[in-house]
Structure formats: C-alpha cells, structure tokens
Amino acid sequence: MFVAYSKKNGVEYATATESVRSGNKVVKSGRSIYLGKVIDKEKGIYCSRERGTFTYDPETNTFGTADLSEVPLSRPRGKEKLVLDFGDSYFLNRFMEANGYMDCIRECGCDNIDTFAALVHQTILTEVAFANATLWYEGNYARLLYPKADMDGRRISDFLETLGDEDVQRRFFEHYIPKILDENEINVAFDSTGLPNNIHFPLTAINNHNGDLSREVRLILVTQLESRLPVFFRAVPGNIIDSNTLLRTLDEMSLMGVDVSRVVVDAGYCDLENLEGLSKRSIAVITRLKPNLELVKHAIETNLSKLDSVDNLIRYGERILYVVRDRATYRGHEGYVYLVRDMARKGVEDMDTAKKLADGVLTPSEAHTQMQRNGLFALFSSEFLPMEDVLPTYYARQGVEQFIDIGKNYANMVPLRIHSEKTFNGLMLLTFLSAAIVQDLMNRSKSAGLSPKVMFLALRNLKCKVFENVLIRNEYTPTVRTIMKHFGYELDYMLRIPRS
C-alpha cells in the first residue's frame, strides 16, 4: 500500500491505495482506503469521522492508536461548536489524576469508568439531583473528558447498584487504602452518623437517640488522625448501638491490611467489652468520659483547686487550656485520666450561666459553683501521653466530624433517594470518594487560604470555546491564577480536545 495526498480548501487529506505490478509497471489495483485529514504526515497520524484519530502503516496495512502528546496544536478549524464551563472540571480532573483517585476508579471494576468519574465531578461541583445530571453534563467540560458517561437520571440508579456490588467495593478499597496510608500502623478517629431514611430495606431501622426517634441507616466512618483523610466506611441498621460496631469494623479493616495502633472515640464507644477487645488487639484508646462517672467526679474533687495554675497551662492553636493528669482505672483497665478546662468553652458556658442567674433560674451560690465547673471535661487514655500531646490527639477526632459534614454538605450524602441496599452502598461509595477528594483538597489548599467552595466557584467562571480540533479557554482571573499556580496546573490558552 502507498499513501496519496491531496488538498482541498487548504486542508490536506490522505488515501491509502494498493499497488500491483503489471509487467514492467506498477499500477493501482483499484482498492483504496480513505484515511481522512492528515494530522502528522511524518508519524502517519490521520483523523476521520469513522475511526477518529489513528495511525496507519502502509507497509503492513495496519491501524493503531495515535499518541498526540508530541503533535503540535494546529489552529482551530471550523466554526465554534460549544461554550462550556471549563475550569472546575479541568482542575478537578487534574487533581484526581495527580493524586491517584482516577486510578482507584479505573481499578474498581465498575462497568463504566466515565460514568463513575463524571458522577464524582457532578457530586463535588454541583448540588444538582441525579435526575437533572444530563443538564449539567451537557454544559460542562466533563462531557469532553468523559464522553462515554451515561448521565441519564433513569440509568444512574442502575449504575449505583453496580457500584454497590461487594466485589467492586473491595477492589476499590484495595487500591484506595494503600494510596492514602503512609505507614502500616495508623492512628484513627472513629464515629458514626444517622442518615434519615423512610424507604423500606434491610438497613432502615428505628433509632432512639436521647429520646428522639427516627428511621435511619447508621453510617460508620473511620478517618486517619493526622491527615483527616477517610480510610473506610460501612453501613449498619439504624438501631445498632454504636459500641457494638467498633471491634467488628477494626477487624474488617485489619483483614484489608490496615493495622490500627490507636483509636480516638467518643464516650459512647468505651464499654467494658470494647476496652477488653482493644487491649487484646494491642490498640491504644483515647476517649472522652461521661461527666456523671465516679472517675470524673473524683478527678474534679482531687484537682479542681489546683487546675487553673500557670504550671498546667497548655496552648493549642489559638486556644488556652488547663490540664492535669492522674493515673486511674477505668472499667477495670489501668490508664490515665486527664482533667481539662477549655477556656473558650468556659467563656460560652459562663455567658449561659450569667443569663440563668439574671433570669432567676440560678441563685448566686449555684451560679458560682457552676462557673467553677464550666469548660471542664475529662479524657481517658490507655497509654501515657505527654500533656502537650493529649489534646492535639483528642481534638484531631474532629476530623471525622468534619468529614461527616463534608459528606452531607458537599457530597450529597443526604437526603437518601434509593430503594435497595446495593444502590445505597453504591451511593455511599460515590459520596465517600467525593468527600475524600474534598478533604484532600482542603488539606492541600489551606496554606494558600483557599477553600474548595471558593475555588470551584471561581474556576466555574473560566469558560472555554470548543472548535473542531481544539478548545480555547478564557483569560485567567486573579483568583484562578492563584489557584492554578498553587497547585502547579498552569495551562496554555489553547488545548487539544481529549480523545477517549
């Protein structure tokens, strides 16, 4: 085969033609293959409507996949086709590729990678319901990044069901967990949240929380203490007591290769069974103690008079606290109790006490006694921790509470609109990954004084015009320039259209 070229209106086209020998002459056989427009003649790269962009080797008469990374961009050809929201999806795609999240999507075994990635974008970048996902997709650069995504609202539910498959979930965590863990043994924060749900399926049950009844699913979340990145999630029926979920969740994580050395939990998790189970597993624990425990009352009686001393003052960020430590036994287990007065919390509680005094709810004597105890709380640690370390370790537990807020406010964790357990698990995997990306973004943008919401709002205003072979973005605003520079995502104003 040989390739013949021709030009029409300044555009070069190619056709592969078979040649045969006839006597002493080489002539065309009449058999030919139209290759389309010439992209790079030296590298044999062509583009046609039927094949897209491809390579052709006339010696072997074979077609291949074109590598466009070294092919220089040509001028935009044809009329302007589209104007799309560009900056937010471009940035998010770059972030997901650079930090391994796209690899987790590719390796989880779901049946449409483009749909998964596009749904992550929609979840993070918009508050649009799945029923209207197509409207967002058609006007966003995501349609070019993930052209095979099926964003029809009626099909998304089917796709979430595939994400809820146990094999898909396990494969996801097999790739996700090693990506976020720097060490084999980690410190984690453990918490759960109720997801109200009136749809009947096995995970829905009635929960009684301090006398308030609700039908809900209980979602358990585990985050790494230092990075605040989420490690794992699982769902249980809404009527399961929190303390019954701790050991089982830690054991499941252990089977997935996560060895926990310390867990920070709220007071509701530390019953006798859990303390003994953690001790057998050589996992240290830090927990807040309920104020009505005799252990706490004894710590207050013993240390209150000497607590507010300069020797006990600890600075934690912008907060000032007073801390004393004693050896103690909690539910038969030796450890240390830390009595803490948080001065910021005391200030709020003092205002409330003053109001009650003014309203006649408290007598002056009662108000005085109450103000002495305002801002107090007690912690128990099964291992010795320096005074300056115990508070940062405990307050790092706020990371799991922050992640829950991200899931609910950024990642459409609620309200639930699902009708099967598999679909629920698929939705939770989607929101888990989306919230993990937002948390990672928060960690990496904090030093620049940026927040994800502000970033994506500014980036959404960066539009692009789409032509036949390239797109041209608008000029940067100062905020967009700061974002791109901070993350190292500078880009030319003219980009090649992604090809899948």
Side-chain angles (χ1 to χ4, degrees):
M1 301 289 283
F2 70 95
V3 179
Y5 301 94
S6 63
K7 281 191 175 182
K8 184 177 180 181
N9 297 327
V11 180
E12 193 169 25
Y13 297 88
T15 302
T17 303
E18 186 177 27
S19 59
V20 296
R21 180 171 293 278
S22 177
N24 294 326
K25 297 182 179 180
V26 176
V27 298
K28 296 179 181 180
S29 68
R31 178 172 173 264
S32 62
I33 303 171
Y34 176 66
L35 300 177
K37 289 177 286 189
V38 179
I39 304 298
D40 190 313
K41 185 183 292 187
E42 292 184 2
K43 295 183 179 181
I45 301 177
Y46 310 93
C47 179
S48 69
R49 182 175 298 178
E50 293 78 13
R51 291 189 172 90
T53 304
F54 60 94
T55 61
Y56 175 74
D57 183 1
E59 293 185 7
T60 59
N61 190 27
T62 56
F63 296 87
T65 302
D67 180 7
L68 299 178
S69 60
E70 298 181 0
V71 179
L73 287 171
S74 57
R75 293 176 59 192
R77 292 197 294 268
K79 296 181 179 179
E80 178 186 316
K81 292 184 174 183
L82 292 168
V83 176
L84 299 174
D85 292 343
F86 170 73
D88 52 359
S89 275
Y90 173 84
F91 174 87
L92 184 55
N93 175 260
R94 284 284 299 268
F95 186 84
M96 291 168 63
E97 289 282 9
N99 296 289
Y101 296 108
M102 281 302 301
D103 290 336
C104 296
I105 290 175
R106 293 187 185 101
E107 299 298 331
C108 73
C110 68
D111 57 4
N112 191 322
I113 294 169
D114 279 14
T115 299
F116 195 175
L119 284 175
V120 170
H121 278 240
Q122 183 217 339
T123 300
I124 294 174
L125 300 178
T126 79
E127 296 180 0
V128 174
F130 291 144
N132 299 317
T134 303
L135 296 176
W136 164 81
Y137 178 74
E138 288 177 346
N140 193 277
Y141 177 58
R143 67 181 286 177
L144 302 181
L145 285 170
Y146 315 116
K148 296 180 182 178
D150 186 352
M151 301 297 283
D152 185 289
R154 293 167 296 182
R155 302 291 297 278
I156 290 176
S157 180
D158 295 335
F159 179 76
L160 291 177
E161 188 170 353
T162 68
L163 283 187
D165 183 82
E166 181 66 24
D167 183 59
V168 170
Q169 304 241 332
R170 288 189 184 185
R171 290 182 62 177
F172 171 83
F173 280 109
E174 283 175 6
H175 291 86
Y176 172 81
I177 288 175
K179 185 195 79 64
I180 64 162
L181 298 188
D182 297 328
E183 302 176 358
N184 291 330
E185 292 191 3
I186 63 169
N187 303 326
V188 300
F190 194 100
D191 206 354
S192 67
T193 185
L195 304 180
N197 179 38
N198 287 320
I199 299 169
H200 294 282
F201 65 93
L203 292 175
T204 302
I206 296 176
N207 177 270
N208 184 346
H209 185 70
N210 296 328
D212 294 328
L213 300 180
S214 64
R215 293 178 58 85
E216 63 182 40
V217 180
R218 204 76 188 155
L219 186 68
I220 300 162
L221 290 160
V222 184
T223 61
Q224 192 171 6
L225 214 58
E226 292 79 7
S227 69
R228 298 193 172 193
L229 289 176
V231 181
F232 186 63
F233 81 90
R234 54 184 291 259
V236 298
N239 57 359
I240 299 295
I241 300 172
D242 283 343
S243 61
N244 291 345
T245 64
L246 179 62
L247 297 178
R248 185 190 184 284
T249 302
L250 292 173
D251 286 344
E252 189 169 340
M253 290 170 60
S254 178
L255 292 172
M256 300 174 75
V258 182
D259 294 323
V260 174
S261 58
R262 180 189 295 144
V263 60
V264 180
V265 294
D266 204 0
Y269 288 95
C270 267
D271 58 17
L272 181 59
E273 181 181 355
N274 282 334
L275 284 171
E276 291 179 349
L278 292 170
S279 178
K280 289 178 181 178
R281 291 163 176 80
S282 299
I283 298 175
V285 61
I286 298 176
T287 181
R288 181 178 61 82
L289 296 171
K290 293 180 179 180
N292 60 348
L293 292 175
E294 287 299 324
L295 177 61
V296 177
K297 294 177 182 178
H298 176 74
I300 292 174
E301 291 173 2
T302 305
N303 297 295
L304 185 59
S305 61
K306 61 182 180 182
L307 178 61
D308 298 338
S309 165
V310 66
D311 296 332
N312 300 326
L313 188 147
I314 299 289
R315 180 171 173 256
Y316 173 63
E318 297 180 354
R319 305 169 84 157
I320 293 177
L321 307 103
Y322 293 92
V323 188
V324 293
R325 176 185 59 226
D326 287 325
R327 289 195 64 88
T329 301
Y330 178 47
R331 299 185 186 275
H333 289 263
E334 293 292 326
Y336 299 85
V337 63
Y338 296 78
L339 184 65
V340 184
R341 191 192 300 277
D342 184 333
M343 297 306 293
R345 179 174 165 182
K346 175 175 169 56
V348 174
E349 293 178 357
D350 281 351
M351 291 289 290
D352 182 62
T353 301
K355 186 177 184 304
K356 290 179 179 178
L357 176 62
D359 293 342
V361 177
L362 296 176
T363 66
S365 175
E366 291 171 336
H368 176 73
T369 301
Q370 182 63 51
M371 291 179 69
Q372 285 184 311
R373 297 183 176 233
N374 282 346
L376 290 180
F377 64 94
L379 303 175
F380 175 81
S381 173
S382 61
E383 61 179 352
F384 177 87
L385 288 174
M387 303 289 267
E388 62 272 15
D389 290 346
V390 66
L391 289 173
T393 302
Y394 177 74
Y395 278 126
R397 180 186 169 276
Q398 293 173 347
V400 69
E401 297 172 347
Q402 176 179 297
F403 180 72
I404 290 171
D405 289 339
I406 291 171
K408 292 182 176 180
N409 297 321
Y410 275 91
N412 297 330
M413 188 180 287
V414 290
L416 297 179
R417 302 183 184 94
I418 39 83
H419 292 84
S420 73
E421 188 171 347
K422 257 192 170 183
T423 306
F424 170 83
N425 286 330
L427 176 63
M428 289 303 103
L429 180 61
L430 172 63
T431 58
F432 177 89
L433 176 58
S434 301
I437 293 169
V438 172
Q439 180 65 67
D440 200 357
L441 269 172
M442 284 183 171
N443 293 348
R444 296 173 190 267
S445 61
K446 188 176 181 180
S447 62
L450 300 167
S451 73
K453 278 196 173 181
V454 172
M455 287 165 53
F456 288 129
L457 187 61
L459 288 164
R460 184 178 302 169
N461 287 329
L462 182 64
K463 313 296 182 184
C464 72
K465 294 181 179 181
V466 181
F467 293 83
E468 184 177 343
N469 59 326
V470 298
L471 59 83
I472 297 179
R473 63 163 175 82
N474 288 357
E475 291 80 5
Y476 284 164
T477 64
T479 303
V480 169
R481 187 174 298 281
T482 298
I483 295 167
M484 292 296 192
K485 185 177 181 180
H486 178 75
F487 284 89
Y489 294 165
E490 293 287 343
L491 71 157
D492 197 2
Y493 70 86
M494 187 183 296
L495 296 175
R496 184 175 289 109
I497 294 176
R499 304 284 184 185
S500 63

